[in-house]
Amino acid sequence: MNTKQLIESGKAVLGIEFGSTRIKAVLIDKENKPIAQGSHEWENQLVDGLWTYSLDAIWTGLQDCYANLRKDVTEHYGVEIKSLAAIGVSAMMHGYMAFNKGGDILVPFRTWRNTNTGEAAKTLSGLFNYNIPLRWSISHLYQCILNGDEHVRDIDFFTTLAGYIHWQLTGEKVLGIGDASGMLPVDPVSKSYNTTMIEKFNALVADRQYPWLLENILPTPLVAGCDAGKLTAEGAARLDVSGNLNAGIPVCPPEGDAGTGMVATNAVRQRTGNVSAGTSSFSMIVLEKDLSKPSEMIDMVTTPDGNLVAMVHCNNCTSDLNAWVNIFKEYQQLLGVEVDINEIFGRLYNHALKGDADCGGLISYNYFSGEHITGAVEGRPLFIRSASDKFNLANFMRTHLYASVAVLKLGNDVLFNEEKVKIDRLTGHGGLFKTPGVGQKVLAAALNSPISVMETAGEGGAWGIALLASYLVNKNEVQTLPAFLDDVVFNGNTGIEISPDPKDVEGFNRYIEQYKADLPVEYSAITAHKTLV
């Protein structure tokens, strides 16, 4: 069966992921290889001090992304997509989307990027004796309660962005267990929410006399491969405005971007891990056992099949780096030189490798938004140098590359140095790794660990959720998710590995010590610099 026949017969699988700056759709064949794609660029908005995306932006973006996929299919294969073997939807984890009984959203979607939940996260972490991060859905809910928000009384259901899209497409209020574990901690044995924590939360808010209990307003968590519903006629019409797509297509449990990153890098087995580095960055290490104690730097979540994962999540990664690269793009345009942004990235990234291993003393804080691991309460990008530092282009670019993974290093130092976590393979994916070898070399120095990168390094998420959708319909009766990925999808491919250069490791360690020492300068910039209106 050729690709055209595959699509015509409805055997292709579709994965859609809502990233921070792009919505992407990937169509894969029976060998789980991409055969078509579509995308839509979008940006979050800061409204009344909170980061959000409007419902209109969500649906317009999804429909445009799917329309671009249809266009790609018709141009390359001359056929129309009428049916599919399966669909999967993924999105940025965490955040807060609350709805009333009529299905109306009660307040604008609050994304993972918001850091206004400090009081709630601190209280819940103490109550549960478990690290509850600022961005988790339960922190957002409890902060709304502490704020006395009137909408809380009317909540009938709250979920993540992936859970919302899935609900609208299928009518099912469910969530993949990996994404669910970023709403409220889950029990890796029962594969459901932690019942003790639910009881403690209900007791905590009992005096408010809300007409709901926490367990009744959460989506049902499902492990990979479970039946999560089918595309309804209404859902098909919302996804494909052309009206060509049929209803009845199986849809896998919706997952968060952390889970799809693990799948796309074949990092769901114990002692494996991955690092996603794009607008934000996070590392996911699949643990053999629980950590000895809670840490504010480490979030405990799960793989899509429910195994315990130590997650180090950083709100910032490449946004500031990209902004500086765009300055060089503007300079080229000013000179009247033809601009190829990929070439600019490649040349600047590779030139950074010629810089000093410790960046010559230059320090950068890439904080477009607050960074909880370092205690930065809000965003304030900052570049620091002294008159005696080695200020040149190579060191300048190198410090911005280092900054993109500096906070990630701080969290992983706890795992590797204090908890003595062992790992056999660590794989990188995301935009930082699009320029071959550079981001990989920097991350290897930061974590003092070999880093592998696969061909899919720049585009993992949408493919990852497509693989979970493929697993739903193509696994055999006893095939686990790790076995499906090992034997069917990757078939022994572990990517290209780069080991850390001892000089780079030593240089990064000097850099990170200066980075920590200069944090009071960053705090002062946050406090002192106010935008005048």
Side-chain angles (χ1 to χ4, degrees), residues 325-338:
V325 171
N326 278 326
I327 291 293
F328 292 97
K329 172 187 172 183
E330 287 186 34
Y331 177 67
Q332 278 198 244
Q333 290 171 327
L334 188 65
L335 294 178
V337 178
E338 185 176 343

Side-chain angles (χ1 to χ4, degrees), residues 179-258:
D179 205 0
S181 68
M183 290 192 73
L184 181 76
V186 301
D187 182 343
V189 176
S190 69
K191 311 298 185 188
S192 189
Y193 297 112
N194 186 301
T195 54
T196 300
M197 294 183 190
I198 286 178
E199 291 170 0
K200 287 183 176 181
F201 185 90
N202 285 334
L204 179 66
V205 302
D207 62 329
R208 310 272 179 163
Q209 298 184 329
Y210 293 127
W212 49 261
L213 294 173
L214 181 58
E215 60 267 32
N216 297 330
I217 62 174
L218 284 162
T220 301
L222 298 175
V223 297
C226 284
D227 177 12
K230 291 180 170 58
L231 185 69
T232 62
E234 295 81 4
R238 295 199 77 177
L239 176 60
D240 180 12
V241 295
S242 74
N244 284 288
L245 189 63
N246 296 326
I249 301 166
V251 186
C252 73
E255 264 299 349
D257 51 358

Side-chain angles (χ1 to χ4, degrees), residues 232-354:
T232 62
E234 295 81 4
R238 295 199 77 177
L239 176 60
D240 180 12
V241 295
S242 74
N244 284 288
L245 189 63
N246 296 326
I249 301 166
V251 186
C252 73
E255 264 299 349
D257 51 358
T260 59
M262 285 187 280
V263 171
T265 54
N266 194 17
V268 296
R269 286 191 184 276
Q270 292 179 349
R271 293 176 67 104
T272 66
N274 80 294
V275 172
S276 174
T279 304
S280 64
S281 69
F282 49 83
S283 62
M284 310 288 289
I285 309 296
V286 189
L287 300 176
E288 297 177 278
K289 60 181 181 179
D290 204 348
L291 300 182
S292 64
K293 60 183 181 297
S295 170
E296 289 186 6
M297 293 188 180
I298 300 167
D299 310 341
M300 302 304 293
V301 292
T302 76
T303 61
D305 56 341
N307 286 317
L308 201 60
V309 173
M311 178 182 191
V312 177
H313 185 282
C314 313
N315 281 356
N316 304 279
C317 185
T318 59
S319 293
D320 194 40
L321 178 59
N322 294 343
W324 282 110
V325 171
N326 278 326
I327 291 293
F328 292 97
K329 172 187 172 183
E330 287 186 34
Y331 177 67
Q332 278 198 244
Q333 290 171 327
L334 188 65
L335 294 178
V337 178
E338 185 176 343
V339 172
D340 181 340
I341 191 64
N342 291 322
E343 183 180 0
I344 296 173
F345 270 103
R347 285 182 177 272
L348 289 173
Y349 274 34
N350 280 289
H351 188 62
L353 297 183
K354 298 177 181 179

